[in-house]
């Protein structure tokens, strides 16, 4: 038995000698991914003056910066809160109806009308001109006035202009202009809605949720729907649930806006020493790192290194104040590894405020102790035939 003990002790000493002085473990050792030391070393990139990957240790300041960056991307921050005042201006393609009243005796529109019963004052004369479409040149034609440029003006301005054109020709003229068909001051609603529509805007000032309601509402659940507004060359998106919870984001629409309801499942991938390794979906409203770890089944207590929770992400260039000049991808994104140390009790508060992004990869490294156990187990298994042979020899078999 002394020989067996010597062999076992030799295996253990050999294992420890192989591991001593090494910051990382042998490449041939089975592993689901890099160790904490390997990730930290990789975060320095190939050049210390211009790292390819940013390694950011997550604290309260980092979490606040990321949350502030996302808030600047809301509808109020991008489009502002200005509200259009006054009636909607007409444009080419709109249908306009012009009505003219003329005090008696009428000189232009109609002959003298008979007085009402018992009245010595004849009634005013009125004529309703046929509905006209505003031409491509932005004008309409009014008898005895000619072409009137109406594009870009509201009905009240058009009424005053036509009245001025009739002065001296009609007897005390009064004009009423109505927009019968609004084809220019509209917004378009498409995507995951019950009906794709073009909704006319009115002087009331329709808002985002008004347009969604006019389209019959979203076809997908609220927590899985994103609303996107395209205004000119500016495009911005927000979860529908955020707009409902924050009335300020229900902004007033402008002519030409395009509202798109998008059903886009969001997900992150979890790997390493957790309860389960898989791709996990989450709501468009977003989840925190703490929620993500819980959905992954938490850390594996027998394997996980609590100091080595890493989130791999392509981040916006202006999301953080980088310690080193960042290297960006062709799409303008910065490759970042966020590191969280759960050995620090305060990090659990930080994890509640750290937002997860779509396509994030969360990786938890194995602890050094787990790697040592794995290494020793391999060495013991490899030496088992020698021990067996020694036992047989000592037994005289």
């Amino acid at each position: 038995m002394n020989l067996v003990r010597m062999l076992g002790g030799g295996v253990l000493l050999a294992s420890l000698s192989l591991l001593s002085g090494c910051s990382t473990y042998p490449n041939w050792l089975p592993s689901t991914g890099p160790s904490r030391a390997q990730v930290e070393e990789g975060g320095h990139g190939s050049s210390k003056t211009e790292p390819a990957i940013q390694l950011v240790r997550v604290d309260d300041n980092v979490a606040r910066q990321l949350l502030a960056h996302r808030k600047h991307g809301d509808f109020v921050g991008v489009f502002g809160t200005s509200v259009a005042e006054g009636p909607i201006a007409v444009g080419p393609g709109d249908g306009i109806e012009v009505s003219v009243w003329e005090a008696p005796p009428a000189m232009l529109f109609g002959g003298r009308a008979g007085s009402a019963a018992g009245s010595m004052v004849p009634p005013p004369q009125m004529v309703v001109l046929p509905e006209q479409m505003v031409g491509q040149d932005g004008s309409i034609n009014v008898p005895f006035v000619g072409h009137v440029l109406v594009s870009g003006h509201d009905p009240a301005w058009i009424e005053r202009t036509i009245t001025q054109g009739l002065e001296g020709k009609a007897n005390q003229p009064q004009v009423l202009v109505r927009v019968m068909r609004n084809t220019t001051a509209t917004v378009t609603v498409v995507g995951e809605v019950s009906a794709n529509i073009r909704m006319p805007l009115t002087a009331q000032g329709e808002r985002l949720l008004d347009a969604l309601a006019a389209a019959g509402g979203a076809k997908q659940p609220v927590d899985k729907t994103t609303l996107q507004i395209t205004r000119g060359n500016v495009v911005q998106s927000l979860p529908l649930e955020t707009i409902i919870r924050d009335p300020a984001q229900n902004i007033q629409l402008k002519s030409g806006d395009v509202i798109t309801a998008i059903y886009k499942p969001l997900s992150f991938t979890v790997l390493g020493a957790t309860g389960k390794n898989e791709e996990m979906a989450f709501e468009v409203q977003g989840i925190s790192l703490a929620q993500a770890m819980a959905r992954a089944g938490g850390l594996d207590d027998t394997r996980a290194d609590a100091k080595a929770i890493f989130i791999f992400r392509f981040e916006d260039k202006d999301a953080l104040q980088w310690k080193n000049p960042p290297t960006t991808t062709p799409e303008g994104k910065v490759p970042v590894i966020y590191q969280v140390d759960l050995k620090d009790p305060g990090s659990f508060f930080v994890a509640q405020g750290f937002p997860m992004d779509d396509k994030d990869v969360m990786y938890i490294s194995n602890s050094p102790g787990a790697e040592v156990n794995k290494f020793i187990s391999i060495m013991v298994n490899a030496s088992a035939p020698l021990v067996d042979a020694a036992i047989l020899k000592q037994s005289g078999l």
Side-chain angles (χ1 to χ4, degrees):
M1 295 300 293
N2 291 334
L3 178 60
V4 175
R5 291 175 181 174
M6 291 176 59
L7 284 173
V11 170
L12 179 59
L13 290 174
S15 301
L16 294 176
S17 64
L18 286 172
L19 292 175
S20 63
C22 297
S23 61
T24 60
Y25 300 99
N27 289 332
W28 51 263
L29 191 66
S31 177
T32 59
S35 65
R36 171 161 54 97
Q38 289 171 326
V39 174
E40 291 174 346
E41 182 180 351
H44 294 297
S46 58
S47 170
K48 293 189 177 182
T49 59
E50 195 174 67
I53 301 174
Q54 297 285 332
L55 179 64
V56 178
R57 289 177 171 81
V58 177
D59 55 19
D60 184 65
N61 181 52
V62 170
R64 288 177 182 272
Q65 287 186 58
L66 292 176
L67 288 173
H69 174 69
R70 281 154 179 74
K71 192 169 184 179
H72 288 315
D74 60 19
F75 290 153
V76 174
V78 173
F79 299 115
T81 58
S82 61
V83 177
E85 298 181 355
I88 301 295
V90 301
D94 288 346
I96 293 180
E97 180 187 85
V98 179
S99 301
V100 181
W101 279 265
E102 189 177 5
M107 295 186 296
L108 287 180
F109 301 101
R112 182 185 299 273
S115 300
S119 174
M120 299 300 295
V121 180
Q125 302 298 308
M126 182 191 75
V127 61
V128 179
L129 302 179
E131 180 184 326
Q132 294 187 65
M133 179 185 294
V134 179
Q136 290 297 323
D137 61 353
S139 68
I140 60 172
N141 187 36
V142 179
F144 304 105
V145 177
H147 287 282
V148 179
L149 186 63
V150 299
S151 181
H153 300 289
D154 60 67
W157 184 92
I158 301 171
E159 291 170 358
R160 293 193 300 269
T161 301
I162 296 175
T163 300
Q164 292 172 1
L166 291 173
E167 287 181 355
K169 303 174 185 177
N171 185 20
Q172 302 179 31
Q174 296 185 37
V175 178
L176 174 65
V177 173
R178 292 196 303 166
V179 179
M180 306 301 292
R181 289 182 294 111
N182 181 356
T183 61
T184 55
T186 60
V187 296
T188 303
V189 187
V190 296
E192 293 293 323
V193 291
S194 297
N196 297 332
I197 63 168
R198 290 183 64 191
M199 184 187 76
L201 296 177
T202 68
Q204 178 181 356
E206 284 73 12
R207 295 183 177 272
L208 180 58
L209 293 182
D210 296 329
L212 182 63
K219 295 196 305 187
Q220 302 295 336
V222 171
D223 62 351
K224 299 186 185 302
T225 301
T226 298
L227 291 188
Q228 173 183 287
I229 296 180
T230 304
R231 180 175 294 176
N233 295 325
V234 180
V235 180
Q236 184 61 41
S237 303
L238 268 186
L240 176 55
E241 193 171 14
T242 298
I243 302 166
I244 294 173
R245 291 183 177 180
D246 183 4
Q249 304 305 324
N250 186 27
I251 63 173
Q252 183 172 322
L253 300 173
K254 292 186 178 181
S255 179
D257 284 353
V258 178
I259 298 99
T260 307
I262 303 172
Y263 172 63
K264 182 183 179 182
L266 306 180
S267 67
F268 68 94
T269 302
V270 58
L271 301 170
T274 62
K276 48 187 174 182
N277 286 186
E278 60 184 63
E279 182 180 7
M280 299 183 179
F282 63 94
E283 302 78 15
V284 294
Q285 182 70 17
I287 61 173
S288 67
L289 173 59
Q291 292 173 304
M293 288 191 294
R295 294 188 185 188
L299 275 59
D300 187 336
D301 191 51
T302 63
R303 295 192 298 133
D305 183 353
K307 293 186 175 183
I309 288 81
F310 299 105
I311 296 90
F312 293 75
R313 176 185 301 171
F314 288 103
E315 190 65 86
D316 292 339
K317 187 176 181 179
D318 57 348
L320 290 174
Q321 297 177 353
W322 309 104
K323 292 183 178 180
N324 301 300
T327 300
T328 58
T329 65
E331 294 77 21
K333 298 291 186 178
V334 179
V336 184
I337 303 175
Y338 293 105
Q339 182 177 6
V340 180
D341 179 5
L342 290 185
K343 286 290 188 179
D344 178 7
S347 64
F348 284 90
F349 294 101
V350 175
Q352 295 180 54
F354 183 88
M356 296 294 290
D357 272 2
D358 186 32
K359 307 307 179 188
D360 276 356
V361 175
M362 182 170 65
Y363 170 71
I364 292 85
S365 294
N366 288 340
S367 67
E371 297 297 324
V372 169
N373 288 337
K374 188 189 304 180
F375 186 86
I376 293 176
S377 176
I378 292 175
M379 295 298 294
V380 169
N381 290 335
S383 63
L386 296 177
V387 175
D388 292 340
I391 294 174
L392 292 174
K393 183 177 180 180
Q394 195 171 34
S395 302
L397 298 177

